């Protein structure tokens, strides 16, 4: 039986969005060739950052300069080589690269099907602190810490917790039945991709079943809560803006 036409789990609202792979439409990004880019979140939705998925075809590559923006690139599938500010790094599933503003980059030598997730944000400098440098790591080197004392909800913080960074990217892993401890409401904005498992996300006053591959945008102050469900752990990678004044001067 075919799926029922005209149905989708996608919702795009003023304060949040849930996007699912069945609704993804490729676009074209300057500097990227032989790839399929999906802009999952962008200012067109109301967000103050962009979240982009890149899938490589044969001979795919992305070349450019970050300009005023900074990137956190995470490898969802496959492998590739990143040349960042003239230095080459081999990346595999779970690798991540922080690419500061005003930095030359070239992503290439990827297997067809390699998938990158990019969080892109305008860099806001902080007086008295140097701009962060290129940083490359792997999620397996980051210890998951119990979230607010709950060992069944663990947080891996990929970027240094330091005032020079104005963005954070974390991986949250929940055992089945584990939850965010309370409904969060905060100044930070989020972009999120479900990496594994299933659960229910509360967004504002609405509840949505979510699973691997789903994407969520949460505007600042959007009430949010999650419970992992099923028999396997659920995990998601997410972005947030951090460490800057509430009211820019
Ligand atoms: O870092 C966070 O704000 C995180 N606890 N939010 C979330 O997972 N929705
Ligand atoms: Mn949050």
């Amino acid at each position: 039986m075919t799926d029922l036409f005209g149905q989708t789990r996608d919702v795009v609202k003023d304060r949040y969005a849930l996007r699912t792979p069945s609704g993804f439409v490729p676009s074209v990004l300057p500097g990227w060739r032989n790839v399929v880019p999906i802009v999952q979140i962008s200012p067109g939705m109301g967000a103050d950052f962009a979240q982009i998925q890149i899938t490589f075809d044969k001979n795919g590559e992305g070349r450019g300069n970050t300009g005023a923006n900074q990137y956190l690139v995470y490898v969802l599938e496959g492998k590739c080589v990143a040349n960042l500010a003239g230095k080459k790094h081999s990346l595999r599933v779970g690798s991540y690269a922080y690419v500061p503003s005003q930095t030359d980059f070239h992503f290439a030598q990827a297997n067809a099907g390699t998938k990158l997730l990019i969080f892109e944000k305008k860099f806001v400098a902080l007086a008295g602190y140097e701009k962060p440098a290129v940083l490359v790591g792997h999620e397996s080197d980051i210890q998951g810490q119990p979230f607010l004392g709950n060992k069944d909800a663990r947080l891996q913080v990929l970027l240094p917790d330091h005032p020079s960074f104005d963005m954070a990217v974390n991986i949250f892993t929940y055992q089945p039945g584990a939850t965010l401890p309370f409904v969060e409401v905060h100044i930070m904005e989020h972009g999120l991709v479900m990496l594994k498992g299933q659960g229910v996300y509360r967004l504002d006053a609405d509840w949505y079943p979510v699973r691997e591959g789903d994407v969520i945008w949460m505007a600042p102050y959007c009430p949010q809560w999650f419970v992992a469900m099923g028999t396997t752990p659920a995990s998601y990678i997410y972005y947030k803006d951090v460490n800057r004044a509430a009211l820019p001067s």
Side-chain angles (χ1 to χ4, degrees), residues 147 172 174 180 184 186 188 190 201 218 224 236 238 240:
F147 185 69
F172 218 146
Y174 299 75
L180 267 181
E184 296 181 355
H186 50 60
M188 300 86 77
H190 288 321
Y201 231 103
M218 291 167 247
Q224 55 199 256
Y236 54 77
Y238 70 101
K240 62 179 172 182

Side-chain angles (χ1 to χ4, degrees), residues 159-236:
L159 291 174
D161 182 13
H162 187 270
S164 57
F165 284 87
D166 69 342
M167 70 190 277
V169 174
N170 305 330
I171 297 175
F172 218 146
T173 303
Y174 299 75
Q175 296 306 311
T179 69
L180 267 181
F182 59 95
V183 180
E184 296 181 355
V185 182
H186 50 60
I187 186 173
M188 300 86 77
E189 185 178 17
H190 288 321
L192 175 160
V193 177
M194 288 294 298
L195 296 174
K196 286 188 197 130
Q198 294 197 25
V200 172
Y201 231 103
R202 177 187 172 139
L203 300 166
D204 200 353
D206 306 312
W207 282 262
Y208 297 97
V210 292
R211 66 173 176 216
E212 181 179 336
D214 289 352
V215 165
I216 297 172
W217 167 61
M218 291 167 247
Y221 303 109
C222 175
Q224 55 199 256
W225 181 83
F226 179 70
V227 57
M229 299 183 75
T231 54
T232 56
S235 75
Y236 54 77

